[in-house]
Amino acid sequence: MRKSILWCLAVLCMLLTPAREGFAASQANCPGGAGCAHVAQTGNVHYDTLSEAFQASADHDEIILLKNTSVDTPIEVRVSVTLTLNGKTLENRVTNERLFHVYAPSFTVDGRNAGSAMVIPADNTGSYGFVKVCAPSTVTLDGGTYTGNTDDGAFVKIFERTGISASGSTVTLNNLQATTNNDFLTRIRCTRLRALPRFA
């Protein structure tokens, strides 16, 4: 009888262990629903943070935002992906930089679902905006609401300077709404200055 109880307990532990490990890890399959606490999803894999989802993504993946979330560190976009806001709000708490740094050939933000938004909160007075295009890319913002003030910046900026060249990039804006104190889209170009002759 005692052996039988111990054997049943051992079998029960083996059955429960994979499920427990699955839900503890950020990159584990998740059944979703009301009990899901993950921030983002790619395919059937859920992630604890949006940054982790971008780091794990491959070309042409769709990253789906699962709940309202805030980000305080820039996210590098190294492969061509679509971020689907999914009716959720992405709060930009990044200071002295932009939220997304795009190095990939393309980056799309799908904000077509009602309620989809990117927001710079009023207390983030050091934000430069949402998208920094760092290499030739096709950036598409499709729908959604973009609001908040920047520190003399632009929501989307194409860079061309020493070490960063996004020359030839294309930015497409489709059916979106924006409210800001500065520009939505700008391009910065810094040229190298040659030494001027000195006169005695």
Side-chain angles (χ1 to χ4, degrees), residues 39-50:
V39 166
Q41 171 184 356
T42 300
N44 63 353
V45 181
H46 290 205
Y47 298 91
D48 289 335
T49 68
L50 188 58

Side-chain angles (χ1 to χ4, degrees), residues 26-27 38-43 45-66 69 71 75-84 100 107:
S26 176
Q27 299 182 12
H38 294 109
V39 166
Q41 171 184 356
T42 300
V45 181
H46 290 205
Y47 298 91
D48 289 335
T49 68
L50 188 58
S51 180
E52 287 175 337
F54 272 88
Q55 289 172 15
S57 61
D59 265 339
H60 310 300
D61 276 352
E62 179 187 23
I63 300 170
I64 302 172
L65 200 61
L66 297 177
T69 190
V71 176
I75 295 174
E76 291 190 352
V77 182
R78 293 285 180 176
V79 294
S80 296
V81 294
T82 296
L83 171 62
T84 299
F100 294 106
F107 176 50

Side-chain angles (χ1 to χ4, degrees), residues 8 14-15 42 53 56-57 67 95 103 108 122 146 156 164 170 185 193 196-197:
C8 288
M14 286 189 295
L15 290 173
T42 300
S57 61
K67 66 178 185 176
T95 58
Y103 296 89
T108 298
Y146 295 78
V156 179
I164 299 177
T170 300
L185 171 64
L193 297 176
L196 297 175

Side-chain angles (χ1 to χ4, degrees), residues 131-182:
V131 179
K132 178 179 181 179
V133 186
C134 303
S137 181
T138 299
V139 175
T140 303
L141 304 182
D142 191 6
T145 301
Y146 295 78
T147 58
N149 293 333
T150 66
D151 183 9
D152 196 26
F155 280 176
V156 179
K157 183 164 276 194
I158 299 171
F159 272 72
E160 185 180 350
R161 58 169 53 166
T162 303
I164 299 177
S165 179
S167 180
S169 293
T170 300
V171 176
T172 302
L173 311 175
N174 292 327
N175 300 316
L176 55 81
Q177 294 181 336
T179 305
T180 184
N181 63 332
N182 280 301

Side-chain angles (χ1 to χ4, degrees), residues 104-117:
S106 68
F107 176 50
T108 298
V109 179
D110 181 350
R112 292 174 295 173
N113 288 358
S116 296

